[in-house]
Amino acid sequence: MADIAAIALALPEVEESAARGGRPAYQVRSRSFVWFREPRPDAVDAETGERLEDVVGFRVPDAGAKDALVQSDGPWFTTPHFDGYDAVLLRERDIGELTVAELREVITDAWLSRAPKRLAKAFLEAT
């Protein structure tokens, strides 16, 4: 979780705010791109039926990017609640399955999908 915060806050004009339930969210100009979800009825443990308390949402550029992540061997998933919504989910417990570089790529792509075009262009030109 510290890696998520560090990567997100290193991007231009990012602010940390509170999502529903008081958990952290990261925004660029008031547009969330990573958020820690409160337990919701759409994400439950397959074995116990309990609502998952450790879900993080990440915006993605488009449906193709979403499908690629969800269909990969990685820990990404989605729920019917997110049908038609360009975002993927990840359990906090599974963050360790990703390298910092993979996490940085997904967070940067999430930021790029929500940042104003000029800000995103300036960022890409500087990197």
Side-chain angles (χ1 to χ4, degrees):
M1 290 180 14
D3 286 339
I4 291 174
I7 293 165
L9 291 169
L11 293 164
E13 298 190 30
V14 171
E15 294 181 353
E16 184 175 331
S17 64
R20 283 188 215 148
R23 302 196 75 210
Y26 299 95
Q27 301 179 326
V28 55
R29 296 199 187 164
S30 300
R31 299 178 78 193
S32 294
F33 62 96
V34 175
W35 64 97
F36 290 76
R37 294 182 71 201
E38 65 183 346
R40 306 251 328 193
D42 66 300
V44 296
D45 185 289
E47 293 178 16
T48 67
E50 302 268 335
R51 291 181 182 184
L52 300 178
E53 297 183 8
D54 66 339
V55 177
V56 186
F58 299 80
R59 289 298 298 244
V60 293
D62 54 42
K66 176 180 181 171
D67 290 343
L69 285 170
V70 171
Q71 293 172 11
S72 72
D73 290 334
W76 308 102
F77 70 100
T78 189
T79 67
H81 178 75
F82 282 88
D83 286 352
Y85 189 72
D86 294 334
V88 294
L89 304 172
L90 173 71
R91 292 192 66 183
E92 290 174 29
R93 71 169 196 194
D94 297 333
I95 291 171
E97 293 181 31
L98 302 169
T99 67
V100 173
E102 290 170 323
L103 195 55
R104 182 176 291 109
E105 180 180 354
V106 170
I107 293 171
T108 302
D109 286 348
W111 180 88
L112 287 166
S113 75
R114 303 297 285 164
K117 289 183 191 273
R118 287 183 187 170
L119 182 61
K121 181 181 177 186
F123 171 78
L124 290 171
E125 288 173 351
T127 57

